[in-house]
Amino acid sequence: MNAPVLDFWFDFASTYSYPSAMRLRALAEETGVAVNFRPFLLGPIFAAQGWNTSPFNIYPAKGRNMWRDLERICADLALPFLRPNPFPQNSLLAARVALVGLNASWGEEFCVEVFRTQFGEGRRIDDAAPVAQILTRLDIAAEPVLAAAQSDDNKARLRAQTEDALRRGVFGAPTFTTADGELFWGNDRLERALLWATQNR
Amino acid sequence: MNAPVLDFWFDFASTYSYPSAMRLRALAEETGVAVNFRPFLLGPIFAAQGWNTSPFNIYPAKGRNMWRDLERICADLALPFLRPNPFPQNSLLAARVALVGLNASWGEEFCVEVFRTQFGEGRRIDDAAPVAQILTRLDIAAEPVLAAAQSDDNKARLRAQTEDALRRGVFGAPTFTTADGELFWGNDRLERALLWATQNR
């Protein structure tokens, strides 16, 4: 019998991916599930639905609820919360850097730190300077990593990952997918997805 | 100190309102919260967002996920589940009848039975015949109730209820609102909303 596996699909600009990223590794350890961090870009997926920004901006009542809801969720989890401005942040460079890190040893730490910086401290993550600062905080030399992130190969890897997300039916973030093809959408479904992974490996 | 109160806003066509309607009264009793069933119409609220049908039909990937997710939720709760056709069902008459019933003694039973019929048995609830059948199953004389439901006064009450929902920021269903103005959207938030109601009365 294989070890249970769960893929964690997220865009760094995704608000509800923040509590998932902060909770995921501890819950995965508790339940014995191996988790793959899979950053992708929501932009092309939203564009295919006719949206040019976050649906939380397009539908204001939904957006107001999301910010209040996220505030309550973070308070319940004792997570810091501060709304970044602008929203959504451009997540392209951070996602490219994350792919470099996930091929090395520091990818998950980087992802968690990007989310914490953005939604815990309300700081920008949308440019080379803030991304380099995060790398520096993690004791990683920023310059070679940023160069690797912007290589043609790495850009193509992020495009392929986004296409893979689309193929699996991903339409938002966070999304969790299992080895047998089950898809769970939303931070609210993390526990159920982990249970599914352990019961249907 | 007042007894805690929670308003339960729903449209009969709303899929995720089904598990909420089936769970709500037992959970409310457990937590000592008084619940008001408040049927309204999502149609005018969706129309204001530029939608002429359910967003689950407009965005197919989201719709596919919703049906599968609802199937899993119902299995976890041991609730029967069968998808109605067409979806969404026209919920206008059922909502008008529910208002009549909620002014009498049988409103909540009627609401639960409409949801069970529609999403537990996959049957239509969108016309006088199926609504009359539900009333008959509940031992209520259908004819005078249908007449009362279609009175000008009652039609105006449903419009006023929908306007009240909009004023409170309701944009989807199920939604739960508390006496202090807190809004919780979605079946996933029912437990949190009940807790809020008990802690902030």
Side-chain angles (χ1 to χ4, degrees):
Chain A
M1 198 179 249
N2 300 319
V5 176
L6 194 67
D7 280 9
F8 167 42
W9 299 89
F10 61 93
D11 182 311
F12 283 115
S14 154
T15 52
Y16 285 110
S17 296
Y18 167 50
S20 284
M22 305 305 277
R23 301 190 302 136
L24 185 56
R25 289 182 302 168
L27 287 174
E29 194 169 1
E30 274 172 37
T31 51
V33 174
V35 170
N36 297 319
F37 277 53
R38 306 206 60 180
F40 72 104
L41 295 182
L42 274 173
I45 291 175
F46 283 174
Q49 297 176 1
W51 299 338
N52 62 358
T53 180
S54 165
F56 294 126
N57 290 344
I58 297 171
Y59 304 109
K62 204 164 175 169
R64 275 191 298 276
N65 174 69
M66 179 276 291
W67 290 114
R68 177 63 181 138
D69 189 48
L70 190 62
E71 191 176 33
R72 287 188 307 239
I73 288 171
C74 291
D76 286 348
L77 295 170
L79 286 177
F81 171 69
L82 203 57
R83 186 172 164 169
N85 184 23
F87 171 81
Q89 294 278 302
N90 185 324
S91 56
L92 176 63
L93 180 61
R96 286 175 176 165
V97 169
L99 284 186
V100 174
L102 290 164
N103 258 1
S105 61
W106 47 270
E108 296 187 7
E109 283 304 323
F110 174 79
C111 293
V112 168
E113 192 61 16
V114 170
F115 277 117
R116 203 190 56 74
T117 300
Q118 183 187 194
F119 294 112
E121 300 181 350
R123 288 160 62 192
R124 303 182 70 138
I125 55 100
D126 60 351
D127 203 356
V131 170
Q133 275 182 18
I134 291 169
L135 289 167
T136 304
R137 275 208 296 282
L138 297 174
D139 275 328
I140 296 154
E143 208 173 307
V145 167
L146 290 174
Q150 302 286 43
S151 70
D152 288 345
D153 271 9
N154 194 61
K155 290 177 177 177
R157 285 181 59 221
L158 183 57
R159 279 195 299 275
Q161 181 120 301
T162 298
E163 283 156 19
D164 193 7
L166 254 179
R167 251 194 317 275
R168 291 165 189 249
V170 172
F171 57 90
T175 292
F176 308 98
T177 57
T178 63
D180 63 339
E182 198 72 13
L183 182 151
F184 297 84
W185 173 50
N187 177 58
D188 301 317
R189 293 293 176 277
L190 172 52
E191 286 84 350
R192 189 62 187 88
L194 288 164
L195 182 64
W196 187 281
T198 60
Q199 292 179 337
N200 304 273
R201 62 186 80 175
Chain B
M1 198 178 248
N2 301 318
V5 175
L6 195 66
D7 280 9
F8 167 42
W9 299 88
F10 61 93
D11 183 312
F12 282 115
S14 153
T15 52
Y16 285 110
S17 295
Y18 167 51
S20 284
M22 304 306 277
R23 302 190 301 136
L24 185 56
R25 290 182 302 169
L27 287 174
E29 194 170 1
E30 274 173 36
T31 52
V33 174
V35 170
N36 297 318
F37 277 52
R38 305 205 62 179
F40 72 106
L41 294 182
L42 274 173
I45 291 175
F46 282 175
Q49 298 178 359
W51 300 337
N52 63 357
T53 179
S54 165
F56 294 126
N57 290 344
I58 297 171
Y59 304 110
K62 206 165 174 168
R64 276 191 297 276
N65 174 68
M66 179 277 290
W67 290 114
R68 176 64 180 138
D69 188 49
L70 189 62
E71 190 176 33
R72 286 187 307 239
I73 288 171
C74 290
D76 287 349
L77 295 170
L79 285 176
F81 172 68
L82 202 58
R83 185 172 164 170
N85 183 24
F87 172 81
Q89 294 277 302
N90 185 325
S91 56
L92 176 63
L93 179 62
R96 287 175 176 165
V97 168
L99 284 187
V100 174
L102 290 164
N103 257 2
S105 61
W106 48 269
E108 296 187 7
E109 283 305 323
F110 174 78
C111 293
V112 168
E113 191 60 16
V114 169
F115 278 116
R116 204 189 56 73
T117 300
Q118 181 186 195
F119 294 112
E121 300 180 350
R123 288 160 61 192
R124 302 182 73 138
I125 56 101
D126 61 350
D127 203 355
V131 170
Q133 274 182 18
I134 291 169
L135 289 167
T136 304
R137 274 208 295 281
L138 297 175
D139 274 328
I140 297 155
E143 208 174 306
V145 166
L146 291 174
Q150 302 286 44
S151 70
D152 286 346
D153 271 10
N154 194 60
K155 289 178 179 177
R157 285 180 59 220
L158 183 58
R159 279 195 299 274
Q161 182 122 298
T162 298
E163 282 156 20
D164 193 8
L166 255 178
R167 251 193 318 275
R168 291 166 190 248
V170 172
F171 57 91
T175 292
F176 308 98
T177 58
T178 64
D180 64 338
E182 199 72 14
L183 182 152
F184 297 83
W185 173 50
N187 177 58
D188 301 317
R189 293 293 176 278
L190 172 53
E191 285 85 350
R192 189 65 186 86
L194 288 164
L195 182 65
W196 187 281
T198 61
Q199 292 178 338
N200 303 273
R201 61 187 81 177

